[in-house]
Amino acid sequence: MTHHHETTEPRLLPDDLPPVALPDEEVERQRKLTVKQVVIWGAIALLGGVAWAMIAFARDESINGIWFVFAAVCSYLIAYRFYATYIEKALVKPDDRRATPAEYSYNGHDYAPTDRRILFGHHFAAIAGAGPLVGPVLAAQMGYLPGTIWIIVGVIIAGAVQDYLVLFVSMRRGGRSLGQMAKDELGPIGGAAALLATLSIMLMIIAILALVVVNALGESPWGVFSVGMTIPIALFMGVYLRYLRPGRVMEVSVIGCVLLLGAIIGGGYVSRTGWGEAWFHLDKPTVAWCLIIYGFIAAVLPVWLLLAPRDYLSTFMKVGVIVMLALAIVVVQPTITVPAISEFAHRSDGPVFTGSLFPFLFVTIACGALSGFHAMIASGTTPKMVEKERQTRLIGYGGMLMESFVAIMALVAAVSIDRGIYFSMNSAAGATQGTVEGAVAYVNSLGLTGVHVDAATLTETAKNVGEHSIVSRTGGAPTLAVGLAHIMHQVFGGTAMMSFWYHFAIMFEALFILTSVDAGTRVARFMLQDALGNFHPRFRDPSWHLGAWLTTAAMVAGWGSILIMGVTDPLGGINTLFPLFGIANQLLAALALSICLVIFARKGARKTLLIILVPLVFTAIVTVYGSYLKIFSSNPKIGYFANHKVYADAIKAGKTSLGAAKNPDQMAAVSFNTMVQGCLSVLFVVCTLIVLAFAIARTIQAVQAGGTASSEDPALPAQLYAPAGLGASAAEKELERQWDEFYASHPDAHLVRTGH
């Protein structure tokens, strides 16, 4: 977004202001380790090392799921304390004496200093969409080891670094969007390519997120009822917070959680009644149309009515469920019998997604390790709400570590269920015929060691989780729900509770994802308004409702058409579209990292540019090579155009069915869809390569010149204080006490309360 907001003059405050930042010596002192801390960190490193050794070298028949939790948590703690601190000190260099946009552009709507703990929750809720739930589940077909290594190592060196840097550079530029920063740093051509790439990729991402919801709710009356109920619950919470009991966040959250549980339990009763079955048993295209209508309405309603209360609800649900699942894994200690590296790691014809381990594992896991979608959020709402510059490490780097932990939990849940059930659920309906018998025949024909599935197991599992069938429930969400139910029912309630836990998980995932669909549609609308504003300035006026409705309709039509294409795809929309989603998402990450590279090169960074260059080069290689295979591969299972040609030739030859397509209409659909997917692949990769070329040229110029003029907003003095981490140190508590006293004696000096 360009600067619609005017920078307000610094507020005139009394001369006796307490300090607005800790002294530099104190910050430096807090970074040094005491003897006690050395011992504690040594113990954490030791536990992490043991856990990694167990995961990497255990070649027995089975491995205990508890090691995954330990390896992840220890790695994250060490990365946050040491690597993130190094990045902060050597590259980012935040300065708490500078005011953030939340302070100097304060308007109480978009720009408002927000408590770091609330903002952490808000940011986490916005970034954690379907990706960390779905990607690892699909990647489990390669075995547990490659996925685990990439999710944990990838987030530390790539994903969290990108989120942190984008959040910081956007905050230093008044909360500008990624597209706008690209235009500022790369000039008009690079900027236009970046804008086209970000807009088209956003639509692709939202469509896939919506497709996951459709696959989880289609033919499931219980799911449709429970998820549908979250909308009136969120509306009620919005009205409650705004008019009935303003400011009572905890109170309304408790009411919301109780109502949510009621909606899940109620769904079980409703789905057993005749009218419930008649009203809520919807096929996938119907669910898709409901979502499209919902997406439009949610994006034009005021934020406080649906989006904000929905965010609170889903943040509590998200963090709560992940912590609960982690504790359950520690208690149950599920045995994992999946091989560390499976048969499909060396082949390219996997039933869940096609393609070899490199590059397709990396693009399939997507958001759990690195996600371009986060760069849109980190340059969207979050930078306009940060109180102090040093908090960006907690929110950017820390928020992404939390998301990666979600991905590890999803992976453990997916590999803890029987492999026969896993492949029955994730193979496309074309392969399994969508029937239990078909699934049994197909999965047993794969010839996997130790995998033998029978009809009784599949029917029994479906009955336990309260669904008609679990065959070909693709998209990762149902598999994760079965895995979660499988672990949770051993702690709470036994087999009788499995159906509750399954629908609890489906609702949890749908909430996760709908938040991203809402927020994503909004971000896409702002981007389009911004772009159209270059031609017709009125589009940039936030109070012009017609403009907002037109741009929202255009964006919803964009992702809606991809969604309908995926829902009606005979090859199974997820199986063909998810690799494209992964590639698009990672291309967006490469684009975001390349803009950060230019910005820090201009600030005069040299050796520290490697912090950005290493993940950038790796991501660029993976995604460009992945795109190359999707466009040029002659194997129809991998290449979109090769697949298009197979179906187009068959239609010309007058065949009436081919592979998964059972009639001429379906064959035409596959032929059309693969053409569209191939063209989108070309568009995404060409735009990204243009941006990368401009970014490399600008970076080399800046390095040769020894740094150039900065595009940051001018520094203004801060006039408020807040601690940097989740908890406050002794020195920070002392400063907070001084500020409390100051506000007590100068009540009109408080920015948020007086609305200056």
Side-chain angles (χ1 to χ4, degrees):
M1 242 113 309
T2 45
H3 289 209
H4 316 314
H5 56 276
E6 292 308 313
T7 304
T8 47
E9 287 303 305
R11 294 173 295 140
L12 293 171
L13 288 183
D15 301 332
D16 54 346
L17 268 188
V20 292
L22 288 179
D24 293 343
E25 311 76 69
E26 176 60 27
V27 173
E28 206 37 60
R29 196 187 64 73
Q30 287 182 10
R31 285 179 181 152
K32 291 203 168 67
L33 291 177
T34 60
V35 177
K36 187 173 139 197
Q37 286 171 318
V38 170
V39 174
I40 294 171
W41 284 108
I44 292 174
L46 188 68
L47 176 62
V50 171
W52 272 111
M54 294 302 294
I55 293 172
F57 304 119
R59 288 288 173 270
D60 316 338
E61 288 307 296
S62 63
I63 170 177
N64 190 332
I66 199 170
W67 293 117
F68 291 89
V69 178
F70 288 152
V73 172
C74 295
S75 305
Y76 298 151
L77 289 173
I78 291 169
Y80 182 74
R81 171 63 183 80
F82 297 99
Y83 188 47
T85 304
Y86 169 72
I87 296 174
E88 177 179 70
K89 191 176 155 185
L91 184 67
V92 175
K93 302 176 184 155
D95 177 5
D96 272 354
R97 289 180 286 273
R98 282 178 73 140
T100 61
E103 184 180 352
Y104 64 72
S105 295
Y106 176 77
N107 64 7
H109 299 297
D110 314 329
Y111 292 88
T114 307
D115 182 284
R116 62 200 184 283
R117 291 158 295 207
I118 293 178
L119 187 58
F120 181 88
H122 166 87
H123 180 73
F124 173 69
I127 62 173
L133 301 173
V134 178
V137 173
L138 303 184
Q141 89 166 355
M142 301 277 183
Y144 65 76
L145 188 59
T148 304
I149 293 177
W150 173 237
I151 290 171
I152 297 177
V153 176
V155 74
I156 290 170
I157 60 165
V161 174
Q162 175 211 254
D163 287 25
Y164 180 19
L165 296 180
V166 171
L167 176 60
F168 184 81
V169 297
S170 173
M171 177 198 69
R172 276 277 172 101
R173 286 161 182 71
R176 265 177 254 177
S177 69
L178 194 64
Q180 194 58 43
M181 290 194 288
K183 200 167 139 192
D184 297 343
E185 305 298 330
L186 309 175
I189 302 176
L195 186 73
L196 184 59
T198 45
L199 251 183
S200 53
I201 289 174
M202 273 301 278
L203 295 182
M204 182 78 216
I205 291 173
I206 300 168
I208 298 290
L209 296 179
L211 183 57
V212 173
V213 178
V214 171
N215 281 354
L217 300 184
E219 325 283 343
S220 166
W222 188 338
V224 171
F225 175 80
S226 298
V227 173
M229 284 306 291
T230 63
I231 299 169
I233 292 173
L235 293 173
F236 164 73
M237 286 172 66
V239 172
Y240 189 94
L241 257 186
R242 179 94 173 197
Y243 299 113
L244 304 179
R245 304 269 288 176
R248 303 292 171 89
V249 176
M250 273 316 291
E251 188 179 301
V252 79
S253 302
V254 171
I255 297 174
C257 288
V258 171
L259 289 173
L260 271 185
L261 291 175
I264 303 173
I265 296 163
Y269 293 112
V270 170
S271 67
R272 290 190 211 108
T273 62
W275 59 271
E277 181 74 20
W279 281 23
F280 297 110
H281 188 111
L282 309 174
D283 61 353
K284 287 179 184 177
T286 316
V287 178
W289 279 108
C290 293
L291 256 184
I292 291 170
I293 296 164
Y294 162 78
F296 175 78
I297 296 171
V300 294
L301 283 178
V303 175
W304 62 264
L305 187 57
L306 183 63
L307 203 64
R310 169 54 105 11
D311 256 6
Y312 280 128
L313 258 188
S314 54
T315 306
F316 282 108
M317 284 274 292
K318 286 172 185 183
V319 178
V321 172
I322 293 310
V323 171
M324 184 177 77
L325 184 56
L327 292 174
I329 289 172
V330 173
V331 173
V332 175
Q333 302 190 9
T335 358
I336 288 163
T337 52
V338 173
I341 297 172
S342 80
E343 304 84 342
F344 294 111
H346 312 294
R347 298 170 23 192
S348 60
D349 60 345
V352 182
F353 66 96
T354 52
S356 51
L357 182 100
F358 184 87
F360 290 109
L361 174 90
F362 301 98
V363 297
T364 304
I365 285 180
C367 314
L370 170 67
S371 166
F373 179 66
H374 300 181
M376 309 306 300
I377 305 289
S379 65
T381 47
T382 312
K384 303 182 178 75
M385 297 157 77
V386 179
E387 290 174 302
K388 302 297 276 180
E389 293 202 342
R390 284 181 59 222
Q391 295 175 352
T392 48
R393 170 170 152 244
L394 166 73
I395 294 161
Y397 202 96
M400 180 62 194
L401 291 179
M402 185 84 188
E403 162 131 1
S404 173
F405 189 56
V406 176
I408 285 289
M409 294 297 101
L411 185 74
V412 173
V415 294
S416 69
I417 61 176
D418 176 71
R419 288 184 87 201
I421 297 178
Y422 170 81
F423 284 113
S424 305
M425 289 187 73
N426 288 292
S427 303
T432 62
Q433 264 69 66
T435 63
V436 171
E437 300 71 29
V440 169
Y442 176 70
V443 173
N444 292 338
S445 75
L446 293 171
L448 304 176
T449 41
V451 173
H452 182 78
V453 69
D454 53 42
T457 315
L458 294 180
T459 323
E460 174 75 2
T461 308
K463 192 172 122 265
N464 286 346
V465 298
E467 286 292 303
H468 293 286
S469 161
I470 56 163
V471 173
S472 294
R473 297 297 298 274
T474 55
T479 312
L480 179 56
V482 168
L484 190 131
H486 172 75
I487 293 170
M488 293 306 299
H489 87 276
Q490 297 176 46
V491 185
F492 304 105
T495 315
M497 282 286 279
M498 262 187 91
S499 61
F500 170 79
W501 284 120
Y502 174 86
H503 288 94
F504 177 79
I506 286 283
M507 174 137 143
F508 155 70
E509 294 171 278
L511 259 182
F512 236 74
I513 298 164
L514 286 176
T515 316
S516 300
V517 172
D518 297 358
T521 306
R522 244 172 228 276
V523 171
R525 177 190 103 200
F526 290 143
M527 285 160 62
L528 185 62
Q529 280 178 303
D530 219 37
L532 293 176
N534 294 324
F535 308 105
H536 186 72
R538 193 155 179 212
F539 273 108
R540 286 198 178 143
D541 173 11
S543 60
W544 187 40
H545 290 310
L546 180 65
W549 292 346
L550 287 173
T551 44
T552 305
M555 293 291 95
V556 171
W559 64 256
S561 50
I562 302 177
L563 170 63
I564 295 293
M565 178 175 106
V567 169
T568 52
D569 191 325
L571 300 181
I574 285 283
N575 306 53
T576 48
L577 280 172
F578 202 83
L580 181 56
F581 158 80
I583 289 172
N585 195 3
Q586 308 276 295
L587 282 171
L588 196 52
L591 195 140
L593 284 166
S594 68
I595 293 166
C596 291
L597 186 71
V598 177
I599 287 174
F600 283 104
R602 284 192 160 168
K603 281 182 80 169
R606 288 293 161 274
K607 287 181 184 157
T608 45
L609 286 178
L610 282 174
I611 295 170
I612 310 172
L613 207 56
V614 171
L616 172 59
V617 169
F618 182 76
T619 311
I621 291 171
V622 164
T623 48
V624 173
Y625 179 52
S627 302
Y628 170 82
L629 291 177
K630 282 282 165 198
I631 296 166
F632 294 110
S633 170
S634 56
N635 175 355
K637 281 200 164 141
I638 296 173
Y640 286 131
F641 290 121
N643 204 356
H644 167 74
K645 191 173 177 317
V646 169
Y647 278 85
D649 291 350
I651 292 169
K652 270 195 195 128
K655 290 187 181 159
T656 54
S657 72
L658 175 64
K662 300 286 175 259
N663 57 43
D665 288 349
Q666 289 192 341
M667 287 171 69
V670 174
S671 167
F672 175 75
N673 293 357
T674 43
M675 189 69 190
V676 173
Q677 288 154 2
C679 293
L680 285 173
S681 303
V682 175
L683 172 75
F684 295 160
V685 76
V686 169
C687 287
T688 309
L689 287 172
I690 294 172
V691 174
L692 286 176
F694 273 93
I696 292 163
R698 290 289 154 98
T699 305
I700 293 169
Q701 276 173 356
V703 170
Q704 284 171 344
T708 51
S710 161
S711 51
E712 289 179 359
D713 282 2
L716 294 168
Q719 296 180 338
L720 55 86
Y721 173 72
L726 267 183
S729 66
E732 288 178 322
K733 282 183 181 141
E734 170 54 29
L735 257 185
E736 282 193 289
R737 191 188 58 72
Q738 292 177 26
W739 275 90
D740 288 341
E741 283 175 10
F742 171 75
Y743 285 136
S745 58
H746 304 85
D748 55 340
H750 203 296
L751 176 70
V752 181
R753 280 183 211 142
T754 53
H756 276 304

